[in-house]
Amino acid sequence: MARESLSGSEPARRRVVVVGGGFGGLQAARKLGGAPVDVTLVDRQNFHLFQPLVYQVATGALSAAEVAAPLRGVFKRQANVRVVLAEVSGFDLERRQVLLDHLPNGARGERLDYDTLVVAGGSRYSYFGHDDWRERAPELKSLAGALDIRNRILTAFEAAEIEPDEERRRSWLTFVVVGGGPTGVEMAGQIAELARETLRRDFRHVDTRAARVLLVETADRILTGFPPSLSHKAERSLEKLGVTPFVGHTVVDVGSASVAIRSANGEIEDVGARTVIWAAGVAASPLATALASAEGSEVDRAGRLTVTAGLTLPDHPEVFAIGDMVRIAQRNGEIVALPGLAPVAMQEGRYVARAIRNRLGGRATEDFKYVDKGNLATIGRSKAVADVKGIRISGFPAWVTWLVVHLFYLIGFQNRLLVVTRWTFSFITRGRGARLISESR
């Protein structure tokens, strides 16, 4: 394949390349529909993953297909957008080219030309220098990670059912969730409900209600992005579900059958646990480092690239970078790192599309300003907390708010219909229809 074949001949219209089919990249590409540009969306996966609901895949409440939308299906009616399945390996900013590897036809080292580039690489979980823990404590950022976790959780109950040794059975029935943010809280609550409600009649020799769920958070409270009053309400709700929050505690080692947890006073306790789920700390996508290297700049300790208030590289205004992988240098010199949330990436994606359209029309675009619409976190059945524009609610009203918001932002009418049907059935029956161990460990 010739190097220029991916870009075609000399373009009649401006070429926009969007790297990443997550929340930011998807919004940028969708909002350029009908614009006089040719958009190429590059992603190493052929689907958009709705990450806020991935934990429900990990606990059998939803199936994988219900939280993922094929990218080609999303853009089938948007004639100016094409999708390329490939992994981005680097950037040539001087030649305005994206370097591609691992294309589905086996090609490597391809180059894709652009006039405007949008990089939305997202983030991944950070193991704080202990990448060897990754194999024993899978993360919840990817669909593969969620399916792996589902296998481990369900296998743990199966193992406890046939385990004759009492101590080993307790370790199979102990689940440790690392990280007290929204994902960790939601995951811990779902495991507790799975053990105490869904599975309690499924097994004959083990009482699944004896399962321990530990939520470990280094800070002095869970949900630090919420007001303290909501954090405390969430903690009490978790305790009622049977979750034990370990606030002010830190995981210092993850073994195959135990987890070492250090308390605030320095004491270390070895907890027998064979299932550990990682939901603590994030690091920017490696694409941020690749882009910084191409520009000749540096990234911060979390691997984030610094962009201008217009979300562009300082020396390359034709290159936008958005989402979890960037921090923003304001005009007053202040550097702001926005929270790694889907609404942030979505607003940035829409802003970039508007900026590109304005450039085509010779119009200026104001600096990006994030509008914080609030935070939501679900804890369990009919339990959630919400902080929406200063209005703080909890319990059933917050839970309904959480349901409506997530259904609204879920991609695809079919997925919305399937998810609301699944949720309704689960609410009535307390069941979970996707409790499949897809492969043996």
Side-chain angles (χ1 to χ4, degrees), residues 50 402-410 415-416 419-420 423:
F50 192 76
W402 182 93
L403 293 177
V404 171
V405 169
H406 283 71
L407 280 174
F408 177 79
Y409 284 112
L410 188 62
N415 280 12
R416 292 193 190 106
V419 168
V420 75
W423 280 348

Side-chain angles (χ1 to χ4, degrees), residues 26 31 51 91 135 177 228 235 275 282 295 335 349 386 432:
L26 195 75
K31 295 301 179 181
Q51 286 187 347
F91 305 92
E135 184 178 347
V177 180
E235 189 170 334
T275 307
V282 293
E295 186 195 24
I335 295 180
R432 295 165 188 264

Side-chain angles (χ1 to χ4, degrees), residues 167-206:
E167 184 176 348
R168 286 172 59 88
R169 188 186 304 120
R170 280 198 300 269
S171 69
W172 281 115
L173 288 177
T174 300
F175 303 87
V176 177
V177 180
V178 185
T183 300
V185 166
E186 290 165 350
M187 188 71 204
Q190 288 282 302
I191 296 174
E193 286 192 340
L194 181 69
R196 285 159 178 75
E197 296 182 0
T198 307
L199 300 180
R200 64 191 181 93
R201 292 191 179 94
D202 287 9
F203 292 86
R204 301 293 177 263
H205 299 292
V206 66

Side-chain angles (χ1 to χ4, degrees), residues 21 28 67 190 212 215 320 379 425:
V67 300
Q190 288 282 302
R212 296 178 66 204
L215 178 62
F320 293 88
I379 299 155
F425 182 79

Side-chain angles (χ1 to χ4, degrees), residues 119-174:
V119 184
S123 62
R124 56 183 179 174
Y125 278 114
S126 169
Y127 286 78
F128 307 112
H130 296 279
D131 285 345
D132 55 307
W133 295 353
R134 189 180 299 273
E135 184 178 347
R136 298 187 290 271
E139 44 77 26
L140 263 170
K141 273 283 186 182
S142 66
L143 190 56
L147 294 174
D148 183 16
I149 290 169
R150 186 182 71 185
N151 288 343
R152 294 179 188 228
I153 292 172
L154 296 176
T155 299
F157 287 109
E158 296 288 346
E161 170 78 352
I162 60 173
E163 178 58 64
D165 183 80
E166 181 64 29
E167 184 176 348
R168 286 172 59 88
R169 188 186 304 120
R170 280 198 300 269
S171 69
W172 281 115
L173 288 177
T174 300

Side-chain angles (χ1 to χ4, degrees), residues 271-293:
V271 177
R274 294 177 181 268
T275 307
V276 183
I277 296 132
W278 197 268
V282 293
S285 162
L287 290 180
T289 300
L291 199 54
S293 177

